[in-house]
Amino acid sequence: MDAIEVKFGAQPVVLVDQLSYDSYSDDEDDDSSHMPHPPPPPPRPPTRKPNQKEMVRDSRLHITESSELERRRRKIGIVVVAILIIIAAVVCVASLVSARSSTRSDSDTNDSDSRSIEEKDKKDEYPNYLSGDVSSSSDTSDVQNIEIESLVPSTSSLPSAVSSSVPPTTDIEPTDLSELGPLSLSVEQITFGDKHHMFGYIGQSLTIPWNADDRYIVGLEFDSHDRLPTADDSATVILIDTDNSNEVIPLDTCRAWNTQQGTMLYWNPDSPSTQFFFNDRDEGNKIFTVLYDIEQRRRIREYRFTDTPIANAGVCPKGGFFYALNYARMARLRPVTGYQNTYDWTEGEVAPTNDGMWRGGVEKGGKEL
C-alpha cells in the first residue's frame, strides 16, 4: 500500500492511494490500526409526517388550482368558438348576398333573352303578330287583324273521339282588333274579412270565374291557406253578386279542394248563367263531382263512381262531357294538386292499368277510361 505523508504545520497527514486502500485486506501483516477511516455521514434530520389537516389543506389547494385552470381553459374555448361562429356567419351572409345578386342578374338577363327569342319566334311563326302595347295608343287605324285560323291547332292529330267534338276552324270568325278600341285594366278588391277567397284554376279548358251574364263570380271561402287541406278542412262554395255591392252568398260546402286548383269550379257550357261544377267527397273519403244550379239553390246532380272514385279536371268548352282524374293518386304523387286522405284503389301499384284520364258524360252519365 502506497502512502504519502504530508505535514500541515505540526500535525502530519497521511494520504493513502485509493486503489491500494480498496485492495487492502485484513489478512495482511501490516498494522492497520494507524490507517485513517472516512468520516461517518451526518445524521439525517427526523422526517415529520404531515397530519390529516395539512393533507386536507394541500388536497383542497390542489383541487382549487385545477378547477381554476379548467375554468380558464373553458372560457378560452368558448371565446374561440364564438369567434369562429361569428366569422362563419359573416362568410355565409356574404355568400348569400353575392349569390342573390348573381341570381337576380342572371334572371334579368335570361328574361330579357327569353323575351327577345319569344318575340322573334312569334314574328317568324305569325307574320301578323302585333308587337307593342295596343292600349298605349289611341289610334288603332293601323292595327292589323290577327289570323285566328293560323292560331288554332289542327284536329287531324287528335283522337277521333276528341276531334269529333272540336269545332272546325272555319266556325271561328276573325276578330277585328281595331273595333275593340284602347284596352284598359282596373284592379278592385271585392272580398274582405278574416276568411280567404279564391277561384282556382283560370283558363283551364277556357274556364273563368264569371257566369255568362257577367253578374256572378263563383269561388271558395276558407279559413287557412298555409298548409294542405285535410279531410277535416271544408270550404264554402260562394257566389259574389257584382250587381249588389259584391255581396258574398254562401251556397254549399266542399271537402275536396286544394289551395292551387280550388275545387275545379266550372260553369256548365250547356247552362253557363245558372249552373256550375265543383268536386266533393263523401263520408268514406270517395270523391265525386257535383252539378249545382244557382236558381234552384241546390245540387241537381252528382257523378259518383264507387269502384273508381274520380272527379272533374276539365269541362269541354262545348259541353256534353268532362275529363276526370283520380285525385287520391295525385295526392300521393303530387300532393299540392290532389285531395288528401281520399280513397285510392291504385295504392301500391307503380303503373296501374285501371287508372288514367277518364271521360264522364254530363247528360248521359257513365265514364270511360
Side-chain angles (χ1 to χ4, degrees):
M1 178 175 59
D2 299 326
I4 300 176
E5 182 179 354
V6 180
K7 289 184 178 181
F8 291 91
Q11 182 67 29
V13 177
V14 178
L15 300 180
V16 181
D17 180 75
Q18 184 64 32
L19 296 175
S20 300
Y21 181 79
D22 291 339
S23 60
Y24 175 73
S25 174
D26 292 339
D27 298 333
E28 294 181 9
D29 296 335
D30 295 338
D31 187 8
S32 58
S33 60
H34 301 285
M35 293 297 298
H37 295 280
R44 295 182 179 181
T47 302
R48 185 178 67 85
K49 295 183 178 180
N51 56 34
Q52 186 175 4
K53 291 184 178 181
E54 291 176 343
M55 292 175 65
V56 171
R57 182 194 61 190
D58 293 342
S59 62
R60 288 179 178 176
L61 289 175
H62 179 72
I63 293 173
T64 303
E65 292 175 356
S66 301
S67 301
E68 183 66 23
L69 181 60
E70 184 65 23
R71 282 195 295 270
R72 290 180 180 178
R73 290 178 178 175
R74 289 181 179 178
K75 289 181 179 179
I76 295 174
I78 292 173
V79 171
V80 171
V81 171
I83 293 174
L84 292 177
I85 291 175
I86 293 173
I87 294 175
V90 171
V91 172
C92 290
V93 171
S95 300
L96 290 175
V97 172
S98 176
R100 182 171 297 180
S101 300
S102 176
T103 302
R104 287 181 178 176
S105 176
D106 294 342
S107 177
D108 294 341
T109 303
N110 293 336
D111 290 344
S112 177
D113 294 343
S114 298
R115 284 192 296 268
S116 299
I117 294 173
E118 183 178 357
E119 291 286 334
K120 182 178 182 303
D121 291 343
K122 286 184 176 180
K123 288 179 180 179
D124 293 340
E125 185 174 358
Y126 309 121
N128 295 328
Y129 172 73
L130 300 178
S131 60
D133 186 6
V134 177
S135 63
S136 63
S137 173
S138 60
D139 183 9
T140 59
S141 59
D142 294 332
V143 176
Q144 300 178 2
N145 295 333
I146 297 179
E147 294 294 337
I148 301 297
E149 294 184 7
S150 64
L151 303 181
V152 178
S154 173
T155 60
S156 60
S157 59
L158 299 177
S160 58
V162 179
S163 61
S164 61
S165 64
V166 177
T169 57
T170 55
D171 292 345
I172 303 177
E173 298 180 358
T175 302
D176 187 359
L177 296 182
S178 62
E179 297 177 357
L180 299 178
L183 302 179
S184 62
L185 175 67
S186 62
V187 179
E188 178 185 1
Q189 182 176 348
I190 60 176
T191 60
F192 301 87
D194 298 333
K195 302 285 187 177
H196 300 281
H197 303 87
M198 67 175 291
F199 170 73
Y201 268 11
I202 296 179
Q204 173 86 348
S205 300
L206 305 182
T207 182
I208 58 175
W210 293 269
N211 69 338
D213 57 18
D214 291 336
R215 175 178 178 178
Y216 293 109
I217 297 175
V218 67
L220 287 180
E221 181 181 79
F222 47 93
D223 295 327
S224 175
H225 66 171
D226 58 354
R227 57 178 173 80
L228 295 176
T230 65
D232 298 327
D233 295 316
S234 61
T236 302
V237 181
I238 62 170
L239 281 182
I240 301 174
D241 189 352
T242 60
D243 287 352
N244 192 18
S245 302
N246 295 324
E247 178 189 4
V248 176
I249 306 172
L251 296 180
D252 207 328
T253 301
C254 163
R255 295 176 57 241
W257 63 286
N258 56 58
T259 52
Q260 182 184 103
Q261 302 171 340
T263 184
M264 284 298 184
L265 292 164
Y266 280 82
W267 289 100
N268 184 7
D270 296 326
S271 300
S273 296
T274 59
Q275 297 178 4
F276 63 85
F277 298 91
F278 70 92
N279 295 334
D280 202 358
R281 78 169 79 192
D282 61 19
E283 295 301 325
N285 286 322
K286 293 185 177 182
I287 60 175
F288 57 93
T289 298
V290 176
L291 181 59
Y292 192 95
D293 190 288
I294 64 176
E295 289 183 340
Q296 302 181 39
R297 286 291 195 272
R298 69 181 183 88
R299 303 182 180 194
I300 61 174
R301 188 161 185 176
E302 292 180 345
Y303 302 88
R304 296 173 180 257
F305 307 101
T306 57
D307 57 338
T308 55
I310 55 177
N312 172 42
V315 179
C316 175
K318 291 181 66 67
F321 66 91
F322 61 89
Y323 282 106
L325 291 173
N326 176 6
Y327 283 94
R329 184 172 176 82
M330 297 289 290
R332 290 190 293 109
L333 302 181
R334 183 168 170 76
V336 71
T337 63
Y339 303 148
Q340 300 296 315
N341 308 116
T342 49
Y343 173 75
D344 181 10
W345 72 94
T346 67
E347 187 172 1
E349 299 183 42
V350 177
T353 58
N354 58 345
D355 191 16
M357 179 67 71
W358 298 84
R359 172 173 163 162
V362 175
E363 293 296 332
K364 297 180 180 179
K367 68 180 187 303
E368 178 186 1
L369 180 60

